[in-house]
Amino acid sequence: MLELAVVNTAPGEKVLVVEDEADVVEMLVRAFNRAAGFNVITAADGAVGLRRAREESPVLVILDLMLPKMPGLEVCKILKGDSLTRHIPILMLTAKAEEIDRIVGLELGADDYVSKPFSPREVVLRAQAILRRGETPAETQSLVAGPIRIDGLRHHVSINGKVVHLTSLEYKLLRTLVQRRGRVQERDRLLSDVWGYESVIDTRTVDTHVRRLREKLGKAGDAIETVRGFGYRLRES
Ligand code: CA
């Protein structure tokens, strides 16, 4: 039985499901309709998915990787490369055998994935976790750590004055590490605070995003230290 959890979506806000398998689409539509607050729209191929994401501004895209016309990874890459759609979180649907694609998807900026076969409830819970990553007024403050400057109002990150383009998840991860600099953050804790998960799922999600964040920060990214067996820490400068 699905929980009737209330999600912070306003009436009329849309979740876009991009998937060609009709039975999967039907199962997801039913599950999301039962969870309050969702208005589900669908697309049966990558090209239509891309168009609907651009035209209808969904609050979340649930994206299957195996799609006709345009593969899911290509859709993901285009959405994350476009300033109009970059902020829309993406939850990928992947087959077990698609581990490489899943990693590539996370590196392209997808927020999370669910492996097939999945329970519709799991997809709804993951979607709710992504959408719960809302903000409090304290998060609009600006923060500085060495050469890294976080503009909390505009969501800009700059290194020595040069803007670095981060996904919404990378931004939140960096902000959390900077706020707690000098203290080790366990992967589980980061999953709960940054990703919004109540229970431990695959902690490799954290590793993938930290690696990507480090790359984007360049030399300044060296300040994010791996603490073997525990998690990550931003070095105090
Ligand atoms: Ca498919």
Side-chain angles (χ1 to χ4, degrees):
M1 194 56 196
L2 274 169
E3 289 169 18
L4 285 176
V6 178
V7 183
N8 54 354
T9 55
E13 285 186 329
K14 298 162 192 163
V15 170
L16 171 62
V17 174
V18 188
E19 164 68 292
D20 58 313
E21 291 161 68
D23 53 338
V24 176
V25 173
E26 195 187 325
M27 184 170 80
L28 289 175
V29 168
R30 206 180 305 134
F32 276 98
N33 284 339
R34 282 165 73 184
F38 288 105
N39 174 12
V40 186
I41 56 174
T42 63
D45 69 59
V48 173
L50 191 58
R51 198 183 71 222
R52 294 206 83 177
R54 284 172 167 159
E55 291 175 356
E56 307 204 34
S57 308
V59 291
L60 173 72
V61 176
I62 297 178
L63 180 64
D64 187 45
L65 293 190
M66 294 281 278
L67 290 169
K69 297 202 177 150
M70 185 186 288
L73 283 180
E74 187 64 24
V75 175
C76 179
K77 191 174 168 187
I78 294 171
L79 290 177
K80 290 298 174 184
D82 184 338
S83 59
L84 271 180
T85 53
R86 185 178 293 148
H87 65 282
I88 305 172
I90 295 177
L91 175 61
M92 295 183 288
L93 303 179
T94 72
K96 280 262 185 285
E98 293 169 347
E99 189 177 1
I100 285 295
D101 288 351
R102 189 157 75 218
I103 292 167
V104 171
L106 291 173
E107 292 191 340
L108 286 174
D111 289 67
D112 200 2
Y113 66 86
V114 178
S115 296
K116 290 179 176 178
F118 50 74
S119 78
R121 181 173 185 272
E122 187 187 359
V123 178
V124 171
L125 290 176
R126 295 287 184 93
Q128 288 172 332
I130 291 172
L131 293 171
R132 257 200 314 270
R133 293 172 200 152
E135 288 180 38
T136 62
E139 287 167 353
T140 59
Q141 287 174 348
S142 292
L143 297 170
V144 177
I148 304 169
R149 187 185 162 80
I150 299 175
D151 178 337
L153 220 49
R154 292 186 300 159
H155 280 210
H156 275 182
V157 171
S158 55
I159 309 285
N160 294 321
K162 191 165 176 277
V163 173
V164 181
H165 296 286
L166 300 182
T167 64
S168 56
L169 194 73
E170 288 161 354
Y171 174 85
K172 190 155 184 202
L173 179 60
L174 177 64
R175 190 171 174 93
T176 302
L177 289 169
V178 169
Q179 275 169 330
R180 303 172 185 171
R181 80 192 80 158
R183 285 179 283 159
V184 181
Q185 300 302 309
E186 292 179 37
R187 288 178 176 82
D188 304 9
R189 173 105 195 268
L190 287 171
L191 273 173
S192 106
D193 294 354
V194 178
W195 277 256
Y197 294 141
E198 307 288 326
S199 60
V200 180
I201 50 135
D202 192 349
T203 52
R204 280 176 303 180
T205 302
V206 180
D207 301 333
T208 305
H209 281 92
V210 168
R211 191 170 67 236
R212 184 85 183 127
L213 178 60
R214 275 191 184 127
E215 283 168 13
K216 286 190 179 179
L217 296 177
K219 210 170 142 39
D222 293 348
I224 303 174
E225 299 174 329
T226 304
V227 182
R228 278 182 72 102
F230 290 96
Y232 297 96
R233 171 174 55 203
L234 191 92
R235 201 171 45 228
E236 296 204 73
S237 43

